[in-house]
Structures are given as C-alpha cells and as structure tokens.
Amino acid sequence: GNPHDLALQERMAHLDRVQGKGAGREYYMNRCMKAVNQSIGRAIRHKRDYATILFIDQRYGKPALRARLPGWIGSRLVVGESLNKSLDAVQHFFNQ
C-alpha cells in the first residue's frame, strides 16, 4: 500500500487509537510483508522449483525484517556488500 493513501493513514490512526500506539505501523508492515511473501510465492511455486530473488533494499539485512520472511527464505538470505557483488554471486552460482 501507498503510505500516502488517505484511507490507509486513517486506518493506521484508528488502530493506534483503539489498540495502542504502533498498532497502525504494525498493520502497515504486515500488509507490506504479505505482498513480499506473495511475490516470493509467484517465483517459487513448488518444492522442486527454484528462483533467484533479490531484495534490493538494505532493510532486508536487518534481523527484525528478516524475521518477517518465511523461515526457509530468511535462513538462506545472503546480504551482499553491493548490488554488483550480489549480481556477481548470482552469476557465479548459476555458472557452477
């Protein structure tokens, strides 16, 4: 969702009022991670399938966000030093 969407902002404010400060942010984070997990599911559809998924955002290297990923993804997540080094690692993997 777009964080500037008025309806979303109102819902987040309502959740903060009803459930306590931070509840709206938690709701927003859960919506975002649901979309991320759905995208992963579109790339990997069954146990014999495989894909390379690049999370090109430094936040995915943080433990709090990694914990929101499926366990089988979070445990295999490799944080690269840079985009170029990450792409080189992917190329190396597929050239083996």
Side-chain angles (χ1 to χ4, degrees):
N2 179 351
H4 303 292
D5 177 62
L6 185 57
L8 177 60
Q9 289 177 358
E10 288 297 322
R11 181 167 194 136
M12 290 172 63
H14 172 74
L15 290 170
D16 283 343
R17 283 190 304 275
V18 173
Q19 297 179 8
K21 185 174 178 163
R25 180 81 178 140
E26 183 67 20
Y27 169 77
Y28 178 70
M29 181 64 74
N30 287 337
R31 279 185 58 160
C32 292
M33 292 310 296
K34 179 180 178 182
V36 169
N37 288 323
Q38 286 175 335
S39 296
I40 292 168
R42 288 184 184 103
I44 303 173
R45 296 181 173 262
H46 55 80
K47 69 180 182 178
R48 296 181 57 91
D49 206 357
Y50 63 94
T52 299
I53 301 168
L54 300 176
F55 297 103
I56 305 179
D57 187 323
Q58 64 186 8
R59 293 175 289 186
Y60 288 102
K62 295 180 181 178
L65 198 56
R66 285 176 97 157
R68 292 177 178 265
L69 293 169
W72 60 276
I73 292 287
S75 66
R76 291 174 174 87
L77 185 68
V78 176
V79 178
E81 295 177 34
S82 69
L83 176 59
N84 286 336
K85 287 185 180 183
S86 297
L87 293 174
D88 288 345
V90 170
Q91 185 175 12
H92 176 74
F93 174 82
F94 282 105
N95 286 338
Q96 291 181 5

Coordinates of all heavy atoms in Angstrom, one line a residue:
G1 N 0.8 -1.2 0.0 CA 0.0 0.0 0.0 C 0.9 1.3 0.0 O 2.0 1.3 0.5
N2 N 0.3 2.3 -0.5 CA 0.9 3.6 -0.6 C 0.8 4.3 0.8 O -0.3 4.5 1.2 CB 0.2 4.4 -1.7 CG 0.8 5.8 -1.8 OD1 1.6 6.2 -1.0 ND2 0.4 6.5 -2.8
P3 N 1.9 4.6 1.5 CA 1.8 5.2 2.8 C 1.2 6.6 2.8 O 0.8 7.1 3.8 CB 3.2 5.2 3.3 CG 4.1 5.2 2.1 CD 3.3 4.4 1.0
H4 N 1.0 7.2 1.6 CA 0.4 8.5 1.5 C -1.1 8.4 1.2 O -1.8 9.4 1.1 CB 1.1 9.3 0.4 CG 2.6 9.5 0.7 ND1 3.1 10.2 1.7 CD2 3.6 8.9 0.0 CE1 4.4 10.1 1.7 NE2 4.8 9.4 0.7
D5 N -1.6 7.2 1.0 CA -3.1 7.0 0.8 C -3.8 7.4 2.0 O -3.6 6.9 3.1 CB -3.3 5.5 0.4 CG -4.8 5.2 0.2 OD1 -5.4 5.8 -0.7 OD2 -5.3 4.4 1.0
L6 N -4.8 8.3 1.8 CA -5.6 8.8 2.9 C -6.3 7.7 3.7 O -6.4 7.7 4.9 CB -6.5 9.9 2.4 CG -7.3 10.6 3.5 CD1 -6.4 11.3 4.5 CD2 -8.2 11.7 2.9
A7 N -6.9 6.8 3.0 CA -7.7 5.7 3.6 C -6.7 4.9 4.5 O -7.1 4.5 5.7 CB -8.4 4.8 2.6
L8 N -5.6 4.6 4.0 CA -4.6 3.8 4.8 C -4.1 4.6 6.0 O -4.0 4.0 7.1 CB -3.4 3.4 4.0 CG -2.3 2.7 4.7 CD1 -2.8 1.4 5.3 CD2 -1.1 2.4 3.7
Q9 N -3.9 5.9 5.9 CA -3.5 6.7 7.0 C -4.6 6.7 8.1 O -4.3 6.7 9.3 CB -3.1 8.1 6.5 CG -1.9 8.2 5.7 CD -1.6 9.6 5.2 OE1 -2.4 10.5 5.4 NE2 -0.5 9.8 4.5
E10 N -5.8 6.9 7.6 CA -6.9 6.9 8.6 C -7.0 5.5 9.3 O -7.3 5.5 10.5 CB -8.2 7.2 7.9 CG -8.3 8.6 7.4 CD -8.3 9.6 8.6 OE1 -8.9 9.3 9.7 OE2 -7.7 10.7 8.5
R11 N -6.9 4.5 8.6 CA -6.9 3.1 9.3 C -5.8 3.0 10.3 O -6.0 2.5 11.4 CB -6.9 2.0 8.2 CG -7.0 0.7 8.9 CD -7.3 -0.4 7.9 NE -7.7 -1.6 8.6 CZ -8.6 -2.4 8.3 NH1 -9.4 -2.1 7.2 NH2 -8.9 -3.4 9.0
M12 N -4.6 3.4 9.9 CA -3.5 3.3 10.8 C -3.7 4.1 12.1 O -3.5 3.7 13.2 CB -2.2 3.7 10.1 CG -1.8 2.7 9.1 SD -0.4 3.3 8.0 CE 0.9 3.5 9.2
A13 N -4.3 5.4 11.9 CA -4.5 6.2 13.0 C -5.6 5.6 13.9 O -5.5 5.7 15.2 CB -5.0 7.6 12.5
H14 N -6.6 5.0 13.3 CA -7.7 4.3 14.1 C -7.1 3.2 14.9 O -7.4 3.1 16.1 CB -8.8 3.8 13.1 CG -9.8 3.0 13.8 ND1 -10.8 3.5 14.6 CD2 -10.0 1.6 13.8 CE1 -11.5 2.5 15.1 NE2 -11.1 1.4 14.6
L15 N -6.3 2.4 14.3 CA -5.7 1.3 15.0 C -4.8 1.8 16.2 O -4.8 1.2 17.2 CB -4.8 0.4 14.1 CG -5.7 -0.4 13.1 CD1 -4.7 -1.0 12.0 CD2 -6.4 -1.5 13.8
D16 N -4.1 2.9 16.0 CA -3.3 3.4 17.0 C -4.2 3.9 18.2 O -3.8 3.7 19.4 CB -2.5 4.6 16.5 CG -1.2 4.2 15.7 OD1 -0.8 3.0 15.8 OD2 -0.7 5.1 15.0
R17 N -5.3 4.5 17.9 CA -6.2 4.9 18.9 C -6.9 3.8 19.7 O -7.0 3.8 20.9 CB -7.3 5.8 18.3 CG -6.9 7.2 18.0 CD -8.1 8.1 17.6 NE -9.0 7.5 16.6 CZ -8.7 7.7 15.3 NH1 -7.7 8.4 14.9 NH2 -9.5 7.2 14.4
V18 N -7.3 2.7 18.9 CA -8.0 1.6 19.5 C -7.1 0.6 20.2 O -7.4 0.1 21.3 CB -8.9 0.9 18.4 CG1 -9.6 -0.3 19.0 CG2 -9.9 1.9 17.9
Q19 N -6.0 0.2 19.5 CA -5.1 -0.8 20.0 C -3.8 -0.3 20.7 O -3.1 -1.1 21.3 CB -4.8 -1.8 18.9 CG -6.0 -2.5 18.3 CD -5.6 -3.4 17.1 OE1 -4.4 -3.6 16.9 NE2 -6.6 -3.9 16.5
G20 N -3.6 0.9 20.6 CA -2.3 1.5 21.2 C -1.4 1.9 20.1 O -1.4 1.5 19.0
K21 N -0.5 2.8 20.6 CA 0.5 3.4 19.7 C 1.3 2.3 19.0 O 1.8 1.4 19.7 CB 1.4 4.4 20.4 CG 2.3 5.1 19.5 CD 3.1 6.2 20.3 CE 4.1 6.8 19.3 NZ 4.6 8.1 19.7
G22 N 1.5 2.4 17.7 CA 2.3 1.4 17.0 C 1.5 0.4 16.3 O 2.0 -0.3 15.4
A23 N 0.3 0.2 16.7 CA -0.6 -0.8 16.0 C -0.8 -0.5 14.5 O -0.9 -1.4 13.7 CB -1.9 -0.9 16.8
G24 N -0.9 0.8 14.2 CA -1.1 1.2 12.8 C 0.1 0.8 12.0 O 0.0 0.3 10.9
R25 N 1.3 1.1 12.5 CA 2.5 0.8 11.8 C 2.7 -0.7 11.7 O 3.2 -1.2 10.6 CB 3.7 1.4 12.6 CG 5.0 1.2 12.0 CD 5.3 2.1 10.9 NE 6.6 1.9 10.4 CZ 6.9 2.0 9.1 NH1 6.0 2.3 8.3 NH2 8.1 1.7 8.7
E26 N 2.3 -1.4 12.7 CA 2.4 -2.9 12.6 C 1.5 -3.4 11.5 O 1.8 -4.3 10.7 CB 2.0 -3.5 14.0 CG 2.1 -5.0 14.0 CD 3.6 -5.5 13.9 OE1 4.5 -4.8 14.1 OE2 3.7 -6.7 13.5
Y27 N 0.3 -2.9 11.4 CA -0.7 -3.2 10.4 C -0.1 -3.0 9.0 O -0.1 -3.8 8.1 CB -2.0 -2.4 10.5 CG -2.9 -2.5 9.4 CD1 -3.7 -3.7 9.2 CD2 -3.0 -1.5 8.5 CE1 -4.6 -3.7 8.1 CE2 -3.9 -1.6 7.4 CZ -4.6 -2.7 7.2 OH -5.5 -2.8 6.1
Y28 N 0.5 -1.8 8.8 CA 1.1 -1.4 7.6 C 2.3 -2.4 7.2 O 2.4 -2.9 6.1 CB 1.6 0.0 7.6 CG 2.3 0.5 6.3 CD1 1.6 0.6 5.2 CD2 3.7 0.7 6.3 CE1 2.2 1.0 4.0 CE2 4.3 1.1 5.1 CZ 3.6 1.3 4.0 OH 4.2 1.6 2.8
M29 N 3.1 -2.7 8.2 CA 4.2 -3.6 8.0 C 3.7 -5.0 7.5 O 4.3 -5.6 6.6 CB 5.1 -3.7 9.2 CG 6.3 -4.6 9.0 SD 7.5 -4.0 7.8 CE 8.3 -2.7 8.7
N30 N 2.7 -5.4 8.2 CA 2.1 -6.8 7.9 C 1.6 -6.8 6.4 O 1.8 -7.8 5.7 CB 1.1 -7.2 8.9 CG 1.6 -7.6 10.2 OD1 2.8 -7.9 10.3 ND2 0.8 -7.5 11.2
R31 N 0.9 -5.7 6.0 CA 0.4 -5.6 4.6 C 1.6 -5.6 3.6 O 1.5 -6.3 2.6 CB -0.3 -4.3 4.4 CG -1.7 -4.3 4.9 CD -2.5 -3.1 4.6 NE -2.5 -2.9 3.1 CZ -3.4 -2.1 2.5 NH1 -4.3 -1.5 3.2 NH2 -3.3 -1.9 1.2
C32 N 2.7 -4.9 3.9 CA 3.8 -4.9 3.1 C 4.5 -6.3 3.0 O 4.8 -6.7 1.8 CB 4.9 -3.9 3.5 SG 4.3 -2.2 3.4
M33 N 4.6 -6.9 4.1 CA 5.3 -8.2 4.1 C 4.4 -9.3 3.4 O 4.9 -10.2 2.8 CB 5.7 -8.6 5.5 CG 6.8 -7.8 6.0 SD 8.3 -7.6 5.0 CE 8.9 -9.2 4.9
K34 N 3.1 -9.1 3.5 CA 2.2 -10.1 2.8 C 2.4 -10.0 1.3 O 2.5 -11.0 0.6 CB 0.7 -9.7 3.2 CG -0.2 -10.6 2.5 CD -1.7 -10.3 2.8 CE -2.6 -11.2 2.1 NZ -4.0 -10.8 2.3
A35 N 2.6 -8.7 0.8 CA 2.9 -8.5 -0.6 C 4.2 -9.1 -1.0 O 4.3 -9.8 -2.1 CB 2.8 -7.1 -1.0
V36 N 5.2 -9.0 -0.1 CA 6.5 -9.6 -0.4 C 6.4 -11.1 -0.5 O 6.9 -11.7 -1.4 CB 7.6 -9.1 0.7 CG1 8.9 -9.9 0.6 CG2 7.9 -7.6 0.5
N37 N 5.8 -11.7 0.5 CA 5.6 -13.1 0.5 C 4.8 -13.6 -0.6 O 5.1 -14.7 -1.2 CB 5.0 -13.6 1.9 CG 6.0 -13.4 3.0 OD1 7.2 -13.6 2.8 ND2 5.5 -13.0 4.2
Q38 N 3.8 -12.9 -1.1 CA 3.1 -13.3 -2.3 C 3.9 -13.3 -3.5 O 3.9 -14.2 -4.4 CB 1.8 -12.4 -2.5 CG 0.7 -12.7 -1.5 CD -0.4 -11.7 -1.6 OE1 -0.3 -10.6 -2.1 NE2 -1.6 -12.2 -1.2
S39 N 4.8 -12.3 -3.6 CA 5.8 -12.2 -4.7 C 6.7 -13.4 -4.7 O 7.0 -14.0 -5.8 CB 6.6 -10.9 -4.7 OG 5.7 -9.8 -4.8
I40 N 7.2 -13.8 -3.5 CA 8.1 -15.0 -3.4 C 7.3 -16.2 -3.9 O 7.9 -17.0 -4.7 CB 8.6 -15.1 -2.0 CG1 9.5 -14.0 -1.6 CG2 9.2 -16.5 -1.8 CD1 9.8 -14.0 -0.1
G41 N 6.1 -16.3 -3.5 CA 5.2 -17.5 -3.9 C 5.0 -17.5 -5.4 O 4.8 -18.6 -6.0
R42 N 5.0 -16.4 -6.1 CA 4.8 -16.4 -7.5 C 6.1 -16.8 -8.2 O 6.1 -17.4 -9.3 CB 4.4 -15.0 -8.0 CG 3.0 -14.7 -7.6 CD 2.6 -13.3 -8.2 NE 1.3 -13.0 -7.7 CZ 1.0 -12.1 -6.8 NH1 2.0 -11.5 -6.2 NH2 -0.3 -11.9 -6.4
A43 N 7.2 -16.6 -7.6 CA 8.5 -17.0 -8.2 C 8.8 -18.5 -7.9 O 9.4 -19.2 -8.8 CB 9.7 -16.2 -7.6
I44 N 8.4 -19.0 -6.7 CA 8.7 -20.4 -6.4 C 7.4 -21.0 -6.0 O 6.7 -20.7 -5.0 CB 9.6 -20.4 -5.1 CG1 10.9 -19.7 -5.4 CG2 9.9 -21.9 -4.7 CD1 11.9 -19.5 -4.2
R45 N 6.9 -21.9 -6.9 CA 5.6 -22.4 -6.8 C 5.5 -23.8 -6.2 O 4.5 -24.2 -5.7 CB 4.9 -22.4 -8.2 CG 4.7 -21.0 -8.8 CD 4.0 -21.1 -10.1 NE 3.7 -19.8 -10.6 CZ 2.6 -19.2 -10.4 NH1 1.6 -19.8 -9.8 NH2 2.4 -18.0 -10.8
H46 N 6.5 -24.6 -6.3 CA 6.5 -25.9 -5.7 C 7.9 -26.3 -5.2 O 8.9 -25.6 -5.5 CB 5.9 -27.0 -6.6 CG 6.7 -27.0 -7.9 ND1 7.8 -27.7 -8.1 CD2 6.3 -26.5 -9.1 CE1 8.2 -27.5 -9.4 NE2 7.3 -26.8 -10.0
K47 N 8.1 -27.4 -4.5 CA 9.3 -27.7 -3.8 C 10.5 -28.0 -4.8 O 11.6 -27.9 -4.4 CB 9.1 -28.9 -2.8 CG 8.8 -30.2 -3.5 CD 8.7 -31.2 -2.4 CE 8.4 -32.6 -3.0 NZ 8.3 -33.6 -2.0
R48 N 10.1 -28.4 -6.0 CA 11.2 -28.7 -7.0 C 11.5 -27.5 -7.9 O 12.3 -27.5 -8.8 CB 10.8 -29.9 -7.8 CG 10.7 -31.2 -7.0 CD 10.4 -32.4 -7.8 NE 11.3 -32.6 -8.9 CZ 12.4 -33.4 -8.8 NH1 12.6 -34.0 -7.7 NH2 13.1 -33.6 -9.8
D49 N 10.9 -26.4 -7.6 CA 11.1 -25.1 -8.3 C 12.2 -24.3 -7.7 O 12.5 -24.6 -6.5 CB 9.8 -24.3 -8.3 CG 9.6 -23.4 -9.5 OD1 10.6 -23.3 -10.3 OD2 8.6 -22.7 -9.6
Y50 N 12.8 -23.4 -8.4 CA 13.8 -22.6 -7.8 C 13.8 -21.2 -8.5 O 13.3 -21.1 -9.6 CB 15.2 -23.2 -7.9 CG 15.7 -23.4 -9.3 CD1 16.5 -22.5 -9.9 CD2 15.4 -24.6 -10.0 CE1 17.0 -22.7 -11.2 CE2 15.9 -24.8 -11.3 CZ 16.7 -23.8 -11.9 OH 17.1 -24.0 -13.1
A51 N 14.3 -20.2 -7.9 CA 14.4 -18.9 -8.4 C 15.5 -18.1 -7.6 O 15.8 -18.5 -6.5 CB 13.1 -18.2 -8.3
T52 N 15.9 -17.1 -8.2 CA 16.8 -16.1 -7.5 C 15.9 -14.9 -7.2 O 15.3 -14.4 -8.1 CB 18.0 -15.7 -8.4 OG1 18.7 -16.9 -8.7 CG2 18.8 -14.7 -7.7
I53 N 15.9 -14.5 -6.0 CA 15.1 -13.4 -5.5 C 16.1 -12.4 -4.9 O 16.8 -12.7 -4.0 CB 14.0 -13.8 -4.5 CG1 13.1 -14.9 -5.1 CG2 13.3 -12.6 -4.0 CD1 12.2 -15.6 -4.1
L54 N 16.1 -11.2 -5.5 CA 17.0 -10.2 -5.0 C 16.1 -9.1 -4.2 O 15.2 -8.5 -4.8 CB 17.7 -9.5 -6.1 CG 18.6 -10.4 -7.0 CD1 19.2 -9.6 -8.1 CD2 19.7 -11.0 -6.1
F55 N 16.4 -9.0 -3.0 CA 15.8 -7.9 -2.2 C 16.7 -6.7 -2.2 O 17.7 -6.7 -1.4 CB 15.6 -8.4 -0.7 CG 14.7 -9.6 -0.6 CD1 15.2 -10.8 -0.3 CD2 13.3 -9.4 -0.6 CE1 14.3 -11.9 -0.2 CE2 12.4 -10.5 -0.5 CZ 12.9 -11.7 -0.3
I56 N 16.5 -5.8 -3.1 CA 17.4 -4.7 -3.3 C 17.0 -3.5 -2.4 O 16.5 -2.5 -2.8 CB 17.5 -4.3 -4.8 CG1 17.8 -5.5 -5.6 CG2 18.5 -3.2 -5.0 CD1 17.9 -5.3 -7.0
D57 N 17.1 -3.8 -1.1 CA 16.8 -2.8 -0.1 C 17.6 -3.2 1.2 O 17.4 -4.3 1.6 CB 15.3 -2.8 0.2 CG 14.8 -1.7 1.1 OD1 15.6 -1.4 2.1 OD2 13.7 -1.2 0.9
Q58 N 18.4 -2.3 1.7 CA 19.2 -2.6 2.8 C 18.4 -3.1 4.1 O 19.0 -3.8 4.9 CB 20.1 -1.5 3.2 CG 19.4 -0.2 3.6 CD 20.3 1.0 3.8 OE1 21.5 0.9 3.5 NE2 19.8 2.0 4.4
R59 N 17.2 -2.7 4.1 CA 16.4 -3.1 5.3 C 16.2 -4.6 5.4 O 16.0 -5.1 6.5 CB 15.0 -2.4 5.2 CG 15.0 -0.9 5.4 CD 13.7 -0.3 5.2 NE 13.3 -0.4 3.8 CZ 12.3 0.2 3.3 NH1 11.4 0.9 4.1 NH2 12.0 0.1 2.0
Y60 N 16.3 -5.4 4.3 CA 16.1 -6.8 4.4 C 17.3 -7.5 5.1 O 17.3 -8.6 5.5 CB 15.9 -7.4 3.0 CG 14.5 -7.1 2.5 CD1 14.3 -6.1 1.6 CD2 13.4 -7.8 3.0 CE1 13.0 -5.8 1.1 CE2 12.1 -7.5 2.6 CZ 12.0 -6.5 1.6 OH 10.7 -6.2 1.2
G61 N 18.4 -6.7 5.3 CA 19.5 -7.3 6.0 C 19.4 -7.2 7.5 O 20.1 -7.8 8.3
K62 N 18.4 -6.4 8.0 CA 18.1 -6.2 9.4 C 17.4 -7.4 10.0 O 16.4 -7.9 9.4 CB 17.4 -5.0 9.7 CG 18.1 -3.7 9.3 CD 17.4 -2.5 9.5 CE 18.2 -1.2 9.1 NZ 17.4 0.0 9.2
P63 N 17.8 -7.9 11.1 CA 17.1 -9.1 11.7 C 15.6 -9.0 11.9 O 14.9 -9.9 11.7 CB 17.8 -9.2 13.1 CG 19.1 -8.6 12.9 CD 18.9 -7.5 11.9
A64 N 15.1 -7.8 12.3 CA 13.7 -7.6 12.5 C 12.9 -7.8 11.2 O 11.8 -8.4 11.3 CB 13.4 -6.2 13.1
L65 N 13.4 -7.4 10.1 CA 12.7 -7.6 8.8 C 12.9 -9.0 8.3 O 12.0 -9.7 7.8 CB 13.1 -6.6 7.8 CG 12.2 -6.4 6.6 CD1 10.8 -6.0 7.1 CD2 12.7 -5.4 5.7
R66 N 14.1 -9.6 8.5 CA 14.3 -11.0 8.1 C 13.4 -11.9 8.8 O 13.0 -12.9 8.3 CB 15.8 -11.4 8.4 CG 16.8 -10.8 7.5 CD 18.2 -11.2 7.9 NE 18.6 -12.3 7.2 CZ 19.9 -12.6 7.0 NH1 20.8 -11.9 7.5 NH2 20.2 -13.6 6.3
A67 N 13.1 -11.6 10.1 CA 12.2 -12.5 10.9 C 10.8 -12.5 10.3 O 10.0 -13.4 10.6 CB 12.2 -12.0 12.3
R68 N 10.4 -11.5 9.5 CA 9.1 -11.5 8.9 C 9.0 -12.3 7.6 O 7.9 -12.4 7.0 CB 8.7 -10.0 8.7 CG 8.4 -9.3 10.0 CD 8.1 -7.8 9.7 NE 7.8 -7.1 10.8 CZ 6.6 -6.9 11.3 NH1 5.6 -7.4 10.7 NH2 6.4 -6.2 12.4
L69 N 10.1 -12.7 7.1 CA 10.2 -13.6 5.9 C 9.9 -15.0 6.3 O 10.2 -15.4 7.5 CB 11.5 -13.4 5.2 CG 11.9 -12.1 4.6 CD1 13.3 -12.0 4.2 CD2 11.0 -11.8 3.4
P70 N 9.5 -15.8 5.4 CA 9.3 -17.3 5.7 C 10.7 -17.8 6.2 O 11.7 -17.4 5.7 CB 8.9 -17.9 4.4 CG 8.3 -16.8 3.6 CD 9.1 -15.5 4.0
G71 N 10.7 -18.7 7.1 CA 11.9 -19.3 7.7 C 12.8 -19.8 6.6 O 14.1 -19.6 6.7
W72 N 12.3 -20.5 5.6 CA 13.2 -21.1 4.6 C 13.8 -20.1 3.7 O 14.9 -20.3 3.1 CB 12.4 -22.1 3.8 CG 11.3 -21.6 3.1 CD1 10.0 -21.4 3.5 CD2 11.2 -21.2 1.7 NE1 9.2 -20.9 2.6 CE2 9.9 -20.7 1.4 CE3 12.2 -21.1 0.7 CZ2 9.6 -20.2 0.2 CZ3 11.8 -20.6 -0.5 CH2 10.5 -20.2 -0.8
I73 N 13.3 -18.8 3.7 CA 13.9 -17.8 2.9 C 14.9 -17.0 3.9 O 16.1 -16.8 3.5 CB 12.9 -16.7 2.4 CG1 12.0 -17.4 1.4 CG2 13.5 -15.5 1.9 CD1 12.7 -17.6 0.0
G74 N 14.5 -16.7 5.0 CA 15.3 -15.9 6.0 C 16.6 -16.7 6.3 O 17.7 -16.0 6.4
S75 N 16.5 -18.0 6.4 CA 17.7 -18.8 6.8 C 18.7 -18.9 5.6 O 19.9 -19.2 5.8 CB 17.3 -20.2 7.2 OG 16.7 -20.9 6.1
R76 N 18.3 -18.6 4.4 CA 19.1 -18.7 3.2 C 19.5 -17.3 2.6 O 20.2 -17.2 1.7 CB 18.4 -19.5 2.1 CG 18.3 -21.0 2.5 CD 17.5 -21.7 1.4 NE 17.4 -23.1 1.7 CZ 16.6 -23.7 2.5 NH1 15.7 -23.1 3.1 NH2 16.6 -25.1 2.6
L77 N 19.0 -16.3 3.3 CA 19.2 -14.9 2.8 C 20.7 -14.6 2.9 O 21.3 -14.7 4.0 CB 18.3 -13.9 3.5 CG 18.4 -12.5 3.1 CD1 17.7 -12.4 1.7 CD2 17.6 -11.6 4.1
V78 N 21.3 -14.1 1.9 CA 22.7 -13.7 1.9 C 22.7 -12.2 1.6 O 22.1 -11.7 0.6 CB 23.5 -14.4 0.8 CG1 24.9 -13.8 0.8 CG2 23.5 -15.9 1.0
V79 N 23.3 -11.4 2.6 CA 23.3 -10.0 2.4 C 24.6 -9.6 1.7 O 25.7 -9.9 2.2 CB 23.3 -9.3 3.8 CG1 23.4 -7.8 3.6 CG2 22.0 -9.6 4.5
G80 N 24.5 -9.0 0.5 CA 25.7 -8.7 -0.3 C 26.2 -7.3 0.1 O 25.5 -6.5 0.7
E81 N 27.5 -7.1 -0.2 CA 28.1 -5.8 0.1 C 27.6 -4.7 -0.8 O 27.6 -3.6 -0.4 CB 29.6 -6.0 0.0 CG 30.3 -6.9 1.0 CD 31.8 -7.1 0.7 OE1 32.4 -6.1 0.3 OE2 32.3 -8.2 1.0
S82 N 27.3 -5.1 -2.0 CA 26.8 -4.1 -3.0 C 26.0 -4.9 -4.1 O 26.0 -6.1 -4.1 CB 28.0 -3.5 -3.7 OG 28.6 -4.4 -4.6
L83 N 25.2 -4.1 -4.8 CA 24.4 -4.8 -5.9 C 25.3 -5.5 -6.9 O 25.0 -6.6 -7.3 CB 23.6 -3.7 -6.6 CG 22.7 -4.2 -7.8 CD1 21.8 -5.3 -7.4 CD2 22.0 -3.1 -8.5
N84 N 26.4 -4.9 -7.3 CA 27.3 -5.6 -8.3 C 27.8 -6.9 -7.7 O 27.9 -7.9 -8.5 CB 28.4 -4.6 -8.7 CG 27.9 -3.5 -9.6 OD1 26.9 -3.7 -10.3 ND2 28.6 -2.5 -9.7
K85 N 28.2 -6.9 -6.5 CA 28.8 -8.1 -5.9 C 27.7 -9.2 -5.8 O 27.9 -10.3 -5.9 CB 29.4 -7.8 -4.5 CG 30.8 -7.1 -4.7 CD 31.5 -6.9 -3.4 CE 32.8 -6.2 -3.6 NZ 33.6 -6.1 -2.4
S86 N 26.5 -8.7 -5.4 CA 25.4 -9.7 -5.4 C 25.1 -10.3 -6.7 O 24.8 -11.5 -6.8 CB 24.1 -9.0 -4.8 OG 24.3 -8.5 -3.5
L87 N 25.0 -9.5 -7.8 CA 24.8 -10.0 -9.1 C 25.9 -10.9 -9.5 O 25.6 -11.9 -10.2 CB 24.6 -8.8 -10.1 CG 23.4 -8.0 -9.9 CD1 23.4 -6.8 -10.8 CD2 22.1 -8.8 -10.1
D88 N 27.1 -10.6 -9.2 CA 28.3 -11.5 -9.5 C 28.1 -12.8 -8.8 O 28.4 -13.9 -9.4 CB 29.6 -10.9 -9.1 CG 30.0 -9.7 -10.0 OD1 29.4 -9.5 -11.1 OD2 30.9 -8.9 -9.5
A89 N 27.6 -12.8 -7.6 CA 27.4 -14.1 -6.8 C 26.3 -14.9 -7.4 O 26.5 -16.1 -7.5 CB 27.1 -13.8 -5.4
V90 N 25.3 -14.3 -7.9 CA 24.2 -15.0 -8.6 C 24.7 -15.6 -9.9 O 24.5 -16.8 -10.2 CB 23.0 -14.1 -8.9 CG1 22.0 -14.7 -9.8 CG2 22.3 -13.6 -7.6
Q91 N 25.5 -14.8 -10.7 CA 26.0 -15.4 -11.9 C 27.0 -16.5 -11.6 O 26.9 -17.6 -12.3 CB 26.8 -14.3 -12.6 CG 27.3 -14.7 -14.0 CD 27.9 -13.6 -14.8 OE1 28.2 -12.5 -14.2 NE2 28.2 -13.8 -16.0
H92 N 27.8 -16.4 -10.6 CA 28.7 -17.5 -10.2 C 27.9 -18.8 -9.9 O 28.3 -19.9 -10.3 CB 29.6 -17.1 -9.1 CG 30.5 -18.1 -8.6 ND1 31.6 -18.6 -9.3 CD2 30.4 -18.9 -7.4 CE1 32.2 -19.5 -8.6 NE2 31.5 -19.8 -7.5
F93 N 26.9 -18.6 -9.1 CA 26.0 -19.7 -8.7 C 25.5 -20.5 -9.9 O 25.6 -21.7 -10.0 CB 24.9 -19.3 -7.8 CG 23.9 -20.3 -7.4 CD1 24.2 -21.2 -6.4 CD2 22.7 -20.5 -8.1 CE1 23.3 -22.2 -6.1 CE2 21.8 -21.5 -7.8 CZ 22.1 -22.4 -6.8
F94 N 24.9 -19.8 -10.8 CA 24.3 -20.4 -12.0 C 25.3 -20.9 -13.0 O 25.0 -21.8 -13.8 CB 23.3 -19.5 -12.7 CG 22.0 -19.4 -11.9 CD1 21.7 -18.3 -11.1 CD2 21.1 -20.5 -12.0 CE1 20.5 -18.3 -10.4 CE2 19.9 -20.5 -11.3 CZ 19.6 -19.3 -10.5
N95 N 26.6 -20.5 -12.9 CA 27.6 -21.0 -13.8 C 28.3 -22.2 -13.3 O 29.0 -22.9 -14.0 CB 28.7 -19.9 -14.1 CG 28.2 -18.8 -15.0 OD1 27.3 -19.0 -15.8 ND2 28.8 -17.6 -14.9
Q96 N 28.0 -22.6 -12.1 CA 28.6 -23.8 -11.5 C 28.0 -25.1 -12.1 O 26.9 -25.2 -12.5 CB 28.4 -23.9 -10.0 CG 29.1 -22.8 -9.3 CD 28.9 -22.9 -7.7 OE1 28.2 -23.8 -7.2 NE2 29.5 -22.0 -7.0

